[in-house]
Amino acid sequence: MEQIAEHYAKPVRGELGPSFARENDFSDKFYLRWGKIEFELFYGEQINLKVILKVYRKHNICETYIVDK
């Protein structure tokens, strides 16, 4: 039997906050926003859940974030 991630956990709710401006040490302005994803676990609380989030941007840019909970 093929094991896929959705057998253990699946995303059930996502939230994306508003954009807000920040400046770095060189006075370059950039924008941030927070995000939240809630998961439903099917294996129990002892499962070691890791989330890999890929954000695709213009010009074939892909940012990868890894969360280990």
Side-chain angles (χ1 to χ4, degrees):
M1 180 167 94
E2 184 179 327
Q3 297 294 324
I4 59 173
E6 287 78 9
H7 287 160
Y8 301 102
K10 74 175 184 177
V12 292
R13 184 171 176 268
E15 195 173 341
L16 192 57
S19 179
F20 56 95
R22 290 281 196 240
E23 280 189 13
N24 64 14
D25 293 339
F26 304 105
S27 297
D28 297 324
K29 187 180 277 189
F30 60 96
Y31 294 88
L32 296 173
R33 62 192 318 176
W34 58 265
K36 175 181 174 180
I37 303 171
E38 292 181 15
F39 288 86
E40 188 173 90
L41 299 176
F42 300 110
Y43 193 76
E45 291 190 23
Q46 72 273 17
I47 193 168
N48 185 0
L49 178 67
K50 291 176 177 54
V51 176
I52 300 173
L53 177 66
K54 293 188 176 195
V55 178
Y56 294 93
R57 301 192 181 273
K58 294 179 185 176
H59 311 294
N60 294 323
I61 295 173
C62 177
E63 298 173 14
T64 302
Y65 303 91
I66 300 173
V67 179
D68 184 5
K69 185 65 177 167

